[in-house]
Amino acid sequence: MTEYTVEFVGTGETIEVSDTETILQPCIEEGIAQEYSCRVGMCLACSAEIVEGEVTQPAARGLTDEEAEEFALTCMARPQSDLKLDRGKYPPSIEEDAGSGTPAAPADDD
């Protein structure tokens, strides 16, 4: 088990997260106000932009493959390095659909 430092840019908040746990779990334990809802990688409420570092998030079904390279769903993402995350940043697929009031559906990878 390896511990990584996760820094939330612009907030001064930093947590230690092991590579065997999601980023969201220590946020909850430390009292960090990270938004979340479904906790299964679909709703995108816990989205954060990856400013620096790498995560693994194979169950982040709400993101396209391209979005998963730039955004982390903290309920699913496990750190693979020290990270800098910008909370409350959403992938383009949800931002583009925000005007309709309906979350964008993930693209099919058929």
Side-chain angles (χ1 to χ4, degrees):
M1 178 174 72
T2 304
E3 293 274 326
Y4 295 108
T5 299
V6 178
E7 175 187 340
F8 295 101
V9 297
T11 69
E13 296 169 316
T14 302
I15 55 173
E16 296 297 316
V17 183
S18 84
D19 59 354
T20 62
E21 65 184 338
T22 66
I23 296 165
L24 180 61
Q25 189 58 45
C27 285
I28 293 169
E29 292 167 3
E30 298 281 332
I32 291 177
Q34 172 62 41
E35 289 189 41
Y36 67 93
S37 183
C38 74
R39 295 181 78 161
V40 295
M42 290 298 295
C43 76
L44 306 180
C46 66
S47 180
E49 183 177 11
I50 302 169
V51 175
E52 189 176 296
E54 295 183 24
V55 299
T56 183
Q57 51 186 349
R61 298 173 299 205
L63 298 175
T64 65
D65 290 341
E66 294 80 24
E67 290 171 342
E69 294 176 18
E70 297 180 34
F71 295 88
L73 297 184
T74 61
C75 72
M76 293 284 114
R78 299 173 191 274
Q80 299 297 290
S81 69
D82 289 341
L83 292 170
K84 289 185 181 182
L85 299 178
D86 195 356
R87 288 196 324 242
K89 301 290 181 168
Y90 299 98
S93 62
I94 196 168
E95 291 291 339
E96 290 167 5
D97 210 40
S100 72
T102 305
D108 281 336
D109 291 335
D110 301 6

